Amino acid sequence: MCGIVGWISKEGNIKESTKIIENMTCTLNERGPDAFGYYSSENVQLGHRRLTIVDPEGGAQPMIRRIGDRKYVLVYNGELYNTEEVREKLMKKGYHFESYSDTEVLLVSYIEWGADCLKHINGIFAFGVCDEKEKEVFLARDHLGVKPLFYSIKNNNLIFGSQIKALLAHTMIKPTINYEGVMEILGLGPARSLGNGIFEDIKEIPPAHYLTYRGGAAKLVQYWELEAKPHKEDLNTTIEHTRHLLVDAVERQLVSDVSVCTFLSGGLDSSAISIITSNLFKREGRGQLETFSIDYRDNDKYFEANEFQPNSDQVWAEKMAEFIGSHHNTVTLENVQLVEALKDATKYNDLPGMADIDSSLHLFCKEVRKKATVALSGECADEIFGGYPWFIRPEDVNANTFPWSKSTKERKEIINKDFQNYPIEEYVAQKYLDTINKVPKLKGESKEEARMRELFYLNIKWFMITLLNRKDRMSMGNSLEVRVPFADYRLVEYAFNLPNHMKFYQGREKGLLREALRGILPQEIIERKKSPYPKTHHIDYTKAVQSWMRKILSNKNAPIFELVDRQKLTEIVETGGKAFKKPWYGQLMTGPQLIAYFIQINTWMEEYQVKIKK
């Protein structure tokens, strides 16, 4: 994985403006600690940081390829999972290759097919190609948005980069948020509308989109979308098909010249990925698989089971590791350390995130990176196969808003009086309706099936992308590449059209997936009730975030008070978060986690010197 940046000017000669592109590139050092490179011409500046995974010599970037009198230059962040298939197609068309890297295959694919190269590749990617002769730039992002790509068009300049911080390093772009940014942070945060970069001058290329820039004009195009299709396979065929797609997705993602491990919580999704990986390692003689799980010091003393988190992970992770014969590593985090890491997590994310759920993942990835460079993780299974309570709980199924974010009214009550007239509730409601109106329809589908299709679409376009953003930033902030097999677009397409009675087979969350893994996983893992990403329950954590937040409250100039009412925030802090009755977001952002989120908002505003345009 890597970090990419670019600056294209329609009019000015920027060939000598190398310091700006160097500064932008340096902000992404953690994304690519192994190598860097630059490309400079009259109207184009490109930069690249590399985390070497495949072909250390042949994958150097920016990569240049000349065809006749045309010159193409590529910067790329990602991994193709069908490299050899695409290479074979291109060789049949007469192309030759000087390396075995997927980078060269991607560049030649664009040279041959242009934008249609996106119909041929399968992977996680964000890349830019400059066609010097045509003075055209092509930017693209993968189908589900696993890899990020932000951009800004200002004064006839296109500026782009893997993260917001890279764009803010350009002299033209200021850390200003406007009316819309405020409503995104306070109404939707830590989620974001697709394409919204929060800052006034920054946008994000949405998943499954590409952007062309030529002559100062930009065009954004969607190249892939979910389609509603009738499902014609019987149950047994569907189970086999699901199993095949998952095994194929995992095995494709194990290509690497460096060490590969898996995250293993002992839940269904991570266990499936780990055993498929371990089986391939054994077949290919790749040695013993390293697996990793997370826990918190003394958490067993404070854990309280509830609807969302019925049991703790550790015993299940160890059982599964023993079953597959992996070398298991338990990363045990200190609770105060978890609080201290909130600042780093915010800086990796460039935005307020998911509080300690971010900081714990950051610390976890930091430890994993000591033993591996690539990891596979189970994100996205819940969104595509129905793992969350809101898929089956009637009040959530029938809610006329995002089921993981039903606190809009309560959110508005705690904001600064300067923003009381902002239509936050209406803004969120409109975002919800805009998404619902894009849901593919299937003629003759029942009301119940249609509503469930809406819920799955909402999850893929909103909740899933929030988790993918978190995973990318926290892992790449530690120079760790994390791959997510359940985000293979073929698997997502297939699952989207499965009828409810199959998806929730035998009345279980992820019922079909459980059946697809029968015979692969132990029965007790298959039957284990879903448990989310683990959080700390330790009283020391609550005390630590309260202490930090009290220091912020004592500072009359703390930037958070531009957004949030001081008195309301004080009530939340003094009650350990209980004064805010509903989860802020998802299932876990309650109590002390909500206090940690406000710490992240304040940290973000301080570190990025955020200015609010009222």
Side-chain angles (χ1 to χ4, degrees):
M1 289 300 170
C2 308
I4 64 175
V5 298
W7 175 22
I8 294 85
S9 177
K10 175 178 177 268
E11 298 166 351
N13 186 335
I14 61 172
K15 188 172 185 178
E16 304 305 319
S17 301
T18 55
K19 189 62 178 176
I20 292 175
I21 207 72
E22 289 172 4
N23 289 341
M24 292 175 66
T25 306
C26 283
T27 66
L28 304 176
N29 287 354
E30 289 87 0
R31 294 189 74 93
D34 297 330
F36 64 90
Y38 301 102
Y39 173 82
S40 180
S41 68
E42 183 176 345
N43 300 104
V44 177
Q45 293 272 3
L46 301 173
H48 185 263
R49 294 289 318 193
R50 188 180 185 197
L51 175 64
T52 304
I53 305 297
V54 174
D55 196 356
E57 298 300 323
Q61 298 183 46
M63 181 173 283
I64 301 171
R65 184 100 174 201
R66 290 178 172 84
I67 302 291
D69 63 345
R70 299 179 73 165
K71 180 168 69 171
Y72 300 87
V73 189
L74 168 75
V75 285
Y76 161 49
N77 166 33
E79 202 75 46
L80 298 189
Y81 301 136
N82 63 339
T83 301
E84 296 311 312
E85 295 166 20
V86 178
R87 190 197 311 272
E88 187 175 336
K89 290 181 187 178
L90 292 166
M91 289 177 69
K92 288 179 179 178
K93 290 180 175 290
Y95 291 96
H96 70 278
F97 292 87
E98 299 173 359
S99 71
Y100 64 91
S101 74
D102 60 335
T103 305
E104 187 179 12
V105 169
L106 177 59
L107 178 53
V108 175
S109 296
Y110 178 78
I111 292 170
E112 171 62 23
W113 294 305
D116 282 347
C117 71
L118 299 167
K119 297 177 181 178
H120 295 266
I121 60 176
N122 179 3
I124 52 178
F125 53 81
F127 67 90
V129 181
C130 178
D131 181 339
E132 281 280 28
K133 181 180 180 181
E134 297 297 325
K135 303 297 182 186
E136 181 175 83
V137 177
F138 180 86
L139 303 178
R141 190 172 175 209
D142 65 68
H143 300 71
L144 277 305
V146 179
K147 292 289 108 183
L149 187 54
F150 294 88
Y151 71 99
S152 180
I153 298 174
K154 196 163 186 182
N155 304 327
N156 287 320
N157 290 268
L158 170 67
I159 302 160
F160 68 88
S162 292
Q163 289 193 224
I164 288 171
K165 58 170 56 73
L167 276 72
L168 290 174
H170 196 288
T171 54
M172 289 185 187
I173 302 176
K174 307 302 179 186
T176 301
I177 64 172
N178 58 17
Y179 166 92
E180 186 176 7
V182 169
M183 291 197 290
E184 289 277 327
I185 291 291
L186 295 179
L188 293 166
R192 289 184 286 117
S193 304
L194 292 183
N196 195 300
I198 303 298
F199 291 96
E200 184 176 40
D201 292 329
I202 298 176
K203 296 181 180 179
E204 185 175 24
I205 293 181
H209 281 69
Y210 67 82
L211 182 144
T212 57
Y213 184 78
R214 184 174 184 176
K219 184 179 181 182
L220 188 65
V221 178
Q222 184 169 4
Y223 67 83
W224 175 84
E225 177 59 296
L226 290 165
E227 296 180 35
K229 300 176 182 177
H231 185 75
K232 298 180 179 180
E233 297 172 346
D234 63 23
L235 178 62
N236 289 334
T237 305
T238 300
I239 290 169
E240 290 296 325
H241 198 162
T242 300
R243 182 186 296 118
H244 167 75
L245 285 171
L246 178 58
V247 171
D248 185 64
V250 174
E251 292 186 346
R252 283 176 181 269
Q253 298 190 22
L254 296 175
V255 174
S256 175
D257 288 343
V258 296
S259 54
V260 177
C261 69
T262 65
F263 294 174
L264 176 60
S265 68
L268 187 73
D269 316 327
S270 65
S271 296
I273 290 171
S274 295
I275 197 166
I276 294 167
T277 301
S278 180
N279 289 343
L280 183 136
F281 273 28
K282 291 171 183 175
R283 290 199 307 270
E284 296 186 351
R286 290 172 63 169
Q288 187 179 29
L289 174 66
E290 295 275 351
T291 53
F292 293 82
S293 64
I294 187 171
D295 201 3
Y296 304 92
R297 182 75 63 198
D298 296 330
N299 213 33
D300 56 326
K301 299 177 183 178
Y302 295 91
F303 178 82
E304 294 181 5
N306 58 51
E307 178 185 4
F308 298 124
Q309 206 157 15
N311 45 53
S312 119
D313 283 339
Q314 194 52 40
V315 64
W316 295 97
E318 291 171 359
K319 283 182 179 181
M320 193 61 207
E322 183 179 0
F323 181 79
I324 65 176
S326 68
H327 180 261
H328 191 65
N329 305 264
T330 301
V331 177
T332 303
L333 301 180
E334 301 290 343
N335 289 279
V336 174
Q337 178 190 27
L338 195 63
V339 178
E340 293 169 348
L342 287 168
K343 185 174 182 178
D344 281 344
T346 306
K347 290 194 288 186
Y348 287 159
N349 197 36
D350 299 324
L351 293 167
M354 296 183 76
D356 63 282
I357 303 169
D358 281 2
S359 60
S360 61
L361 182 59
H362 151 51
L363 293 171
F364 179 62
C365 289
K366 185 176 181 179
E367 292 303 309
V368 173
R369 183 61 174 89
K370 294 176 181 178
K371 288 193 174 183
T373 308
V374 175
L376 270 63
S377 182
E379 268 82 4
C380 307
D382 291 314
E383 289 83 359
I384 68 173
F385 285 108
Y388 296 120
W390 52 70
F391 283 111
I392 56 177
R393 199 164 45 195
E395 62 267 31
D396 289 338
V397 172
N398 299 317
N400 60 350
T401 188
F402 302 106
W404 52 84
S405 187
K406 298 186 291 184
S407 60
T408 312
K409 180 177 179 292
E410 290 78 8
R411 289 181 181 216
K412 187 167 184 178
E413 291 173 354
I414 68 170
I415 68 173
N416 186 294
K417 62 180 183 340
D418 292 344
F419 303 108
Q420 285 291 332
N421 63 333
Y422 278 26
I424 290 176
E425 293 177 81
E426 294 82 355
Y427 183 83
V428 174
Q430 191 59 54
K431 293 294 181 179
Y432 170 79
L433 289 174
D434 288 346
T435 309
I436 290 294
N437 289 335
K438 294 177 182 176
V439 177
K441 308 294 182 184
L442 187 62
K443 188 176 181 180
E445 197 166 43
S446 71
K447 182 180 178 181
E448 291 74 21
E449 291 281 352
R451 177 54 182 164
M452 198 56 63
R453 189 181 293 278
E454 290 178 346
L455 281 176
F456 279 102
Y457 190 87
L458 285 166
N459 273 264
I460 291 167
K461 297 296 183 180
W462 284 87
F463 198 77
M464 190 165 91
I465 194 67
T466 303
L467 297 187
L468 288 173
N469 286 337
R470 159 183 166 263
K471 180 57 65 72
D472 173 80
R473 307 306 189 276
M474 297 307 111
S475 60
M476 293 305 294
N478 289 284
S479 307
L480 177 71
E481 175 184 314
V482 176
R483 301 173 180 175
V484 278
F486 282 101
D488 186 305
Y489 77 91
R490 301 168 306 151
L491 186 59
V492 176
E493 282 179 336
Y494 185 72
F496 184 67
N497 286 298
L498 295 176
N500 294 339
H501 72 274
M502 287 190 180
K503 230 176 230 179
F504 300 101
Y505 181 66
Q506 293 186 337
R508 290 294 308 273
E509 79 281 3
K510 293 189 288 191
L512 179 73
L513 182 60
R514 294 176 191 277
E515 286 303 306
L517 294 169
R518 203 171 293 281
I520 296 176
L521 291 177
Q523 182 69 14
E524 58 184 343
I525 298 292
I526 290 174
E527 297 302 331
R528 185 191 173 197
K529 186 175 173 60
K530 179 205 162 35
S531 190
Y533 181 84
K535 70 172 184 176
T536 182
H537 295 262
H538 203 293
I539 190 65
D540 286 353
Y541 176 79
T542 303
K543 290 178 178 178
V545 292
Q546 284 177 303
S547 176
W548 189 348
M549 200 67 229
R550 286 182 184 123
K551 290 178 182 178
I552 295 172
L553 285 165
S554 68
N555 177 10
K556 65 179 181 180
N557 297 317
I560 192 173
F561 299 123
E562 290 186 68
L563 293 175
V564 179
D565 179 80
R566 185 190 299 266
Q567 182 177 342
K568 294 285 188 181
L569 189 52
T570 301
E571 292 174 8
I572 291 170
V573 173
E574 294 309 318
T575 61
K578 293 178 181 177
F580 195 91
K581 302 296 184 184
K582 292 185 178 180
W584 181 271
Y585 185 81
Q587 307 168 36
L588 305 181
M589 287 185 69
T590 59
Q593 282 73 29
L594 178 56
I595 299 172
Y597 180 67
F598 290 127
I599 290 172
Q600 285 197 309
I601 291 178
N602 192 74
T603 299
W604 171 64
M605 296 183 74
E606 280 186 339
E607 293 291 324
Y608 288 76
Q609 300 181 352
V610 176
K611 302 293 187 295
I612 301 175
K613 182 185 287 186
K614 298 179 181 178

